[in-house]
Amino acid sequence: MNIILLDREEVIGDLVTLRDHRAEHIVKVLRASPNDRVTVGIINGKVGNGIIKELGKHHPYHVKLKVILDKMPEAPAPLDIMLALPRPIVFKRVIRHLTTLGVDHVFVVNAAKVEKSYWQSSVVTEEGWKRYVREGLAQAVDTRLVEFAFFRGFKPFIQEVIPEIKDRYAQMLVAHPESVNEVTRIYRAGKNPVLLAIGPEGGWNEYELEQMRIQGFEQFSLGPRILRVETAVTAVHASITLLR
């Protein structure tokens, strides 16, 4: 936890009192003392310092901070993700990874090789996924909540939603290990926004790939190896970031 994240309503004037895992982290991990400073930020707001005014070092822990917020976090990379819903345990890791790496929007979609039971997981709920977004933000020292939107039908998303949003993007790319194109050969967006599609571990099927091609997605490969979703997310994000 490299930043203590606060909800706006928690701060009264310029003071906030923490009595949960954040207080425990300040006491047990940071080993802070009165008048020490810790990095704090308001969700979807500014970043700054919290000066410790009171500190209870024994359970139940509590920490009172004077909050000084003086800068906005850096804007996320101009990169949106279209993600086939992974297994819930993998999805939790992917949320953390994407939030830590920095993206703007994530469109979570169904696919032929996505198990129906995945949609019953609590991580698909707003309360569920936001928990892991916060963990990613705390790692990256960021406050901007990544927006997740869920679409249980692939066809309606690709045929109805994509035509409405495609003009936002300089380029739409889909990772596919059987493509003959390396990302360095087809990437040209530079600093402009990109929509990047990453499929399930079983891959997109031919129908899904064809529908994406019709909408203007270009295929690329990172090589012949089949990657796990969380590995692919990190590798592709790193490749696009390096090219940018």
Side-chain angles (χ1 to χ4, degrees):
M1 189 184 296
N2 296 316
I3 185 173
I4 306 300
L5 294 172
L6 309 172
D7 290 304
R8 198 172 302 276
E9 59 270 19
E10 291 183 294
V11 182
I12 309 300
D14 61 355
L15 296 174
V16 60
T17 300
L18 305 177
R19 302 181 186 277
D20 55 13
H21 66 283
R22 295 168 295 179
E24 183 174 359
H25 180 83
I26 291 170
V27 172
K28 297 179 66 176
V29 178
L30 300 183
R31 299 182 180 180
S33 300
N35 296 316
D36 283 353
R37 292 176 178 244
V38 296
T39 303
V40 300
I42 300 289
I43 289 292
N44 287 330
K46 290 184 176 181
V47 174
N49 291 299
I51 303 171
I52 297 175
K53 294 300 182 182
E54 294 180 12
L55 185 137
K57 293 193 173 184
H58 302 285
H59 187 80
Y61 307 103
H62 79 275
V63 177
K64 179 178 282 188
L65 301 171
K66 180 179 180 180
V67 177
I68 303 171
L69 303 171
D70 54 7
K71 62 181 178 180
M72 291 297 296
E74 291 187 10
L79 178 62
D80 288 352
I81 303 293
M82 172 183 162
L83 177 71
L85 180 64
R87 288 179 293 128
I89 192 170
V90 173
F91 189 33
K92 295 173 184 178
R93 294 196 291 266
V94 168
I95 294 171
R96 293 191 195 100
H97 292 340
L98 286 175
T99 306
T100 301
L101 290 167
V103 296
D104 202 358
H105 292 81
V106 180
F107 304 101
V108 184
V109 303
N110 201 18
K113 296 177 182 177
V114 170
E115 293 287 342
K116 292 181 179 179
S117 62
Y118 296 174
W119 289 98
Q120 307 306 314
S121 170
S122 61
V123 73
V124 174
T125 66
E126 183 172 355
E127 183 178 348
W129 61 260
K130 277 190 174 179
R131 169 187 172 186
Y132 300 100
V133 167
R134 282 175 173 260
E135 291 182 8
L137 293 177
Q139 175 64 36
V141 191
D142 194 0
T143 64
R144 301 175 190 268
L145 283 180
V146 178
E147 291 296 327
F148 280 74
F150 295 83
F151 301 87
R152 298 194 179 211
F154 175 85
K155 184 176 179 180
F157 177 79
I158 205 71
Q159 294 184 357
E160 299 172 17
V161 177
I162 286 294
E164 292 183 357
I165 66 174
K166 64 193 301 183
D167 289 344
R168 300 179 191 172
Y169 303 107
Q171 199 169 12
M172 298 190 297
L173 304 173
V174 54
H176 183 48
E178 296 180 12
S179 173
V180 297
N181 295 318
E182 296 178 0
V183 67
T184 52
R185 290 178 55 190
I186 65 170
Y187 178 78
R188 59 182 183 276
K191 293 183 179 180
N192 299 314
V194 175
L195 178 61
L196 177 63
I198 299 175
E201 291 188 356
W204 302 108
N205 66 18
E206 290 303 317
Y207 169 80
E208 292 160 348
L209 289 170
E210 176 62 14
Q211 289 297 309
M212 283 188 272
R213 185 195 67 78
I214 291 171
Q215 294 297 337
F217 282 83
E218 300 172 79
Q219 291 185 17
F220 73 93
S221 172
L222 292 174
R225 293 179 179 271
I226 308 298
L227 305 179
R228 291 183 180 273
V229 173
E230 64 264 44
T231 307
V233 163
T234 304
V236 172
H237 192 293
S239 298
I240 297 297
T241 300
L242 179 61
L243 291 170
R244 285 182 56 244

